């Protein structure tokens, strides 16, 4: 990963030089400025990825410099360094465009982790721009996948990276999270996009019909087989076969699927001719396949064959930042579909929608908005148009007491948020980090710092 170009803006000479020397030892390209005017001159003349910006300086203060920098070069990330003010000041900086803030005295390991996280995010944004350009060149947009937060950003980036391979992919996520949309995105980005992507719901068909659906059958293979049938593996030759609800496969079908993945060949039911097919298999499940393997209901060898690349879609309750764009998208879509003029959602109703946990995920949100659009008689969606259950959302009502210095208050808030995220994800560090919007490395550092078990 390319090291960032950093400008340290700090009026204190010893602090500025300490940060400069530390970051240069970490092989970052570091420049320095002792005041706001000097910083702005350097930003106008040179390229920087990141500014470490002191909030309190003589002349132009950090907030004024931040606003000017965002006018000159909006793509620069700014981290505000402060030992002054309150949490509200830090929040104000974030609203003005700062990527993050750090409290003085600065802990160098924490600063390093913060810079690495910003670097990872910048790389992700760059890769996703390339991905969207590739999609546009194919006449496709990602409009179907509505998101705003980093969790889905990373997931779509992963989809772009694995698309060119032939590896089998296992997409895991709760019902309604959009597993088929991700599978279709992977297929669209792959060299197989000119060939079909065929979808089979393994839970929707009984065992004998599913086996015939997948592998086909010869005439007379079973009662009612009056003619030969071509299976989905033959139809998808050169393309992708998406097996939804893979956890519901019966043991006999698991054996046949395993053989196909290993050998790329199969036989139709009632036939003895071996048929080869070039098909990429993407499977999906809302079940815990590892638990099913331990219970003996799912073959371990098949699980590892399917799980070459694992794609985990977080539930909607763990990516609340995606709610608002999803609500706006569905409102516009269903208003157009039903030929109704609906201008907005009332603030009270929007608040209910944003606080609700959505056990049915995106599909449930979509149904709620469609229902509201259909039944409303007004141009603004109100509480009366929403399901009764939304009036009792499982929202966090816990108050936060802020005491002591800003550093103490921030640490108390961080400790509380981390503890709550770990509880909500059953101590799953990857999901907890996604919920908090930080990297796993940062989360591990914080867990150790606050002695959270």
């Amino acid at each position: 990963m390319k090291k960032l170009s950093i400008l340290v803006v700090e009026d204190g000479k010893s602090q500025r030089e300490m940060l400069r020397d530390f970051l240069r030892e970490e092989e970052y390209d570091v420049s320095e400025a002792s005041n706001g005017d000097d910083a702005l001159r350097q930003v106008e003349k040179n390229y920087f990825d990141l500014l470490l910006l002191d909030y309190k300086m003589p002349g132009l203060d950090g907030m004024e410099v931040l606003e000017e920098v965002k006018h000159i070069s909006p793509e620069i990330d700014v981290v505000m360094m402060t030992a002054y003010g309150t949490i509200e000041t830090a929040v104000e900086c974030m609203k003005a465009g700062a990527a993050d803030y750090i409290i003085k005295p600065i802990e160098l390991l924490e600063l390093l982790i913060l810079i690495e996280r910003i670097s990872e995010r910048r790389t992700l944004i760059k890769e996703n721009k390339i991905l969207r350009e590739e999609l546009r060149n194919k006449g496709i947009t990602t409009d179907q996948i509505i998101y705003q937060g980093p969790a889905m950003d990373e997931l779509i980036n992963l989809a772009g990276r694995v698309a060119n391979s032939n590896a089998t992919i296992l997409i895991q996520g709760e019902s309604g999270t959009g597993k088929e949309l991700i599978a279709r995105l992977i297929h669209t980005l792959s060299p197989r996009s000119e060939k079909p992507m065929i979808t089979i719901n393994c839970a929707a068909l009984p065992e004998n019909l599913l086996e015939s659906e997948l592998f086909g059958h010869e005439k007379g293979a079973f009662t009612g087989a009056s003619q030969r049938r071509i299976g989905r593996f033959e139809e998808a030759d050169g393309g992708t076969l998406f097996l939804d609800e893979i956890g519901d496969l019966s043991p006999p079908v698991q054996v046949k699927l395993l053989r196909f993945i290993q050998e790329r060949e199969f036989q139709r039911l009632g036939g003895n001719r071996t048929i080869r097919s070039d098909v990429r298999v993407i499977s999906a499940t809302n079940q815990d396949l590892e638990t099913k393997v331990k219970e003996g209901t799912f073959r371990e060898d098949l699980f590892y064959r399917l799980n070459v690349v694992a794609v985990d879609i977080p539930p909607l309750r763990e990516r609340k930042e995606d709610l608002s764009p999803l609500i706006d998208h569905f409102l516009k879509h269903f208003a157009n579909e039903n030929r109704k003029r609906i201008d907005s959602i009332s603030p009270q109703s929007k608040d209910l929608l944003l606080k609700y946990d959505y056990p049915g995920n995106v599909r449930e949100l979509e149904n709620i908005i469609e229902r509201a659009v259909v039944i409303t008689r007004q141009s603004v969606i109100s509480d009366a148009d929403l399901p009764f259950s939304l009036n009792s959302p499982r929202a966090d009502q816990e108050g936060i007491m802020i005491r002591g210095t800003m550093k103490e208050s921030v640490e108390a808030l961080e400790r509380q948020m981390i503890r709550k995220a770990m509880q909500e994800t059953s101590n799953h560090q990857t999901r907890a980090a996604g919920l908090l919007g930080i990297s796993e490395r940062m989360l591990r550092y914080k867990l150790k710092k606050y002695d959270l078990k």
Side-chain angles (χ1 to χ4, degrees):
M1 185 181 296
K2 178 181 175 292
K3 290 287 188 176
L4 301 184
S5 174
I6 302 173
L7 176 63
V8 178
V9 188
E10 164 67 66
D11 64 306
K13 186 173 185 292
S14 60
Q15 175 83 345
R16 184 176 69 251
E17 291 179 348
M18 182 270 292
L19 290 172
R20 178 199 65 195
D21 294 343
F22 170 73
L23 292 172
R24 284 180 178 172
E25 285 178 7
E26 294 295 328
E27 299 182 351
Y28 287 99
D29 177 15
V30 185
S31 301
E32 54 185 304
S34 59
N35 56 65
D37 290 319
D38 186 18
L40 293 177
R41 280 193 295 270
Q42 293 198 50
V43 169
E44 287 175 338
K45 292 180 180 179
N46 304 298
Y47 174 83
F48 296 102
D49 298 296
L50 173 65
L51 261 64
L52 296 179
L53 178 60
D54 192 15
Y55 180 77
K56 191 74 171 179
M57 294 184 295
L60 294 175
D61 65 20
M63 183 63 74
E64 291 171 316
V65 174
L66 171 64
E67 291 174 354
E68 285 299 315
V69 164
K70 286 300 177 181
H71 283 303
I72 298 168
S73 187
E75 72 278 4
I76 294 179
D77 283 309
V78 178
V79 171
M80 198 69 75
M81 306 182 293
T82 180
Y84 298 86
T86 63
I87 292 177
E88 286 73 25
T89 302
V91 172
E92 183 184 359
C93 294
M94 302 282 279
K95 288 181 177 177
D100 216 321
Y101 64 92
I102 192 165
I103 307 300
K104 293 181 177 180
I106 292 172
E107 296 183 25
L108 294 178
L109 177 58
E110 186 172 354
L111 174 64
L112 190 60
I113 292 172
L114 175 58
I115 292 172
E116 288 179 356
R117 178 164 62 85
I118 290 172
S119 178
E120 289 170 0
R121 185 177 62 81
R122 290 180 70 88
T123 300
L124 192 65
I125 291 170
K126 187 181 296 183
E127 288 177 350
N128 280 0
K129 284 181 180 178
I130 295 171
L131 174 61
R132 290 191 183 96
E133 184 62 31
E134 184 180 344
L135 285 168
R136 278 195 294 271
N137 290 340
K138 292 186 175 185
I140 300 157
T141 70
T142 54
D143 291 346
Q144 298 165 295
I145 305 175
I146 309 299
Y147 67 95
Q148 185 169 290
M152 290 302 292
D153 229 4
E154 291 180 11
L155 192 148
I156 287 177
N157 182 271
L158 175 61
R161 283 184 280 136
V162 303
N164 286 326
S165 74
N166 283 318
T168 55
I169 295 173
L170 178 62
I171 304 174
Q172 301 178 94
E174 296 177 6
S175 293
T177 49
K179 296 186 286 294
E180 185 172 350
L181 275 177
I182 297 300
R184 195 160 294 282
L185 177 63
I186 293 170
H187 172 74
T188 301
L189 290 169
S190 76
R192 299 173 177 270
S193 59
E194 299 299 319
K195 297 290 185 176
M197 171 177 154
I198 294 177
T199 299
I200 295 288
N201 188 321
C202 300
L205 296 170
E207 178 186 329
N208 61 328
L209 291 181
L210 178 60
E211 194 171 351
S212 172
E213 188 77 15
L214 289 173
F215 303 105
H217 62 254
E218 299 289 353
K219 180 179 179 181
F222 51 83
T223 303
S226 57
Q227 58 185 6
R228 172 186 286 178
R229 177 191 173 95
I230 300 300
R232 299 300 193 179
F233 277 109
E234 284 182 80
E235 289 183 8
D237 186 26
T240 303
L241 186 64
F242 176 57
L243 301 176
D244 201 5
E245 305 300 344
I246 193 76
D248 289 308
L249 281 183
S250 66
V253 179
Q254 289 182 37
V255 172
K256 287 200 168 188
L257 176 59
L258 176 63
R259 184 195 169 200
F260 173 79
I261 293 174
Q262 290 174 327
E263 308 295 338
R264 298 295 167 183
E265 59 185 35
F266 63 95
Q267 293 178 344
R268 299 191 192 104
L269 270 69
N272 53 20
R273 184 169 71 88
T274 298
I275 301 167
R276 295 192 62 82
S277 183
D278 175 25
V279 174
R280 186 201 199 149
V281 175
I282 301 178
S283 55
T285 183
N286 59 9
Q287 303 179 50
D288 186 340
L289 289 190
E290 291 186 77
T291 298
K292 289 178 74 72
V293 167
K294 292 175 184 176
E295 294 171 348
T297 57
F298 200 88
R299 293 182 63 99
E300 184 176 25
D301 46 5
L302 177 58
F303 170 70
Y304 288 118
R305 288 287 185 178
L306 294 171
N307 195 37
V308 173
V309 177
V311 177
D312 295 312
I313 305 180
L316 192 52
R317 63 182 173 276
E318 292 181 13
R319 46 187 180 97
K320 292 281 191 177
E321 63 274 17
D322 292 340
L323 273 174
S324 192
L326 280 166
I327 290 168
D328 294 342
H329 169 75
F330 289 136
L331 184 66
K332 181 179 179 181
H333 171 75
F334 289 117
N336 290 337
E337 189 175 88
N338 290 277
R339 298 177 184 177
K340 298 181 79 169
R341 179 185 171 185
I342 299 178
D343 299 323
S344 62
I345 299 175
S346 73
Q348 297 87 344
S349 300
K350 187 75 174 279
D351 189 53
L352 284 176
L353 290 167
L354 293 175
K355 287 181 177 178
Y356 185 59
D357 268 356
Y358 299 97
N361 293 293
V362 179
R363 188 180 297 127
E364 182 180 8
L365 173 61
E366 182 179 10
N367 290 343
I368 287 171
I369 300 299
E370 182 177 16
R371 173 188 183 276
V373 168
V374 168
I375 69 173
T376 189
R377 295 179 178 176
Q378 311 296 326
S379 61
V380 176
I381 300 292
S382 68
D383 293 4
D385 304 316
L386 300 177
F388 175 76
S389 59
L390 289 189
N391 291 299
S392 301
R394 291 189 291 157
D396 181 17
Q397 300 298 324
E398 183 176 73
I400 298 173
M401 299 299 293
I402 304 298
R403 294 192 180 95
T405 66
M406 181 177 180
K407 186 173 189 295
E408 291 168 343
S409 298
V410 169
E411 289 181 347
L413 179 59
E414 280 189 338
R415 186 183 293 108
Q416 183 177 352
M417 290 178 68
I418 291 169
R419 185 183 291 114
K420 183 170 178 59
M422 292 295 285
Q423 288 172 349
E424 289 187 0
T425 59
S426 301
N427 294 322
H428 192 294
Q429 290 190 8
T430 301
R431 291 181 180 174
L435 188 61
L436 292 165
I438 61 177
S439 67
E440 283 187 70
R441 184 176 175 183
M442 174 66 89
L443 177 60
R444 288 193 294 271
Y445 166 75
K446 296 287 187 183
L447 288 170
K448 183 177 181 180
K449 175 181 177 181
Y450 298 130
D451 195 26
L452 296 173
K453 304 297 183 183

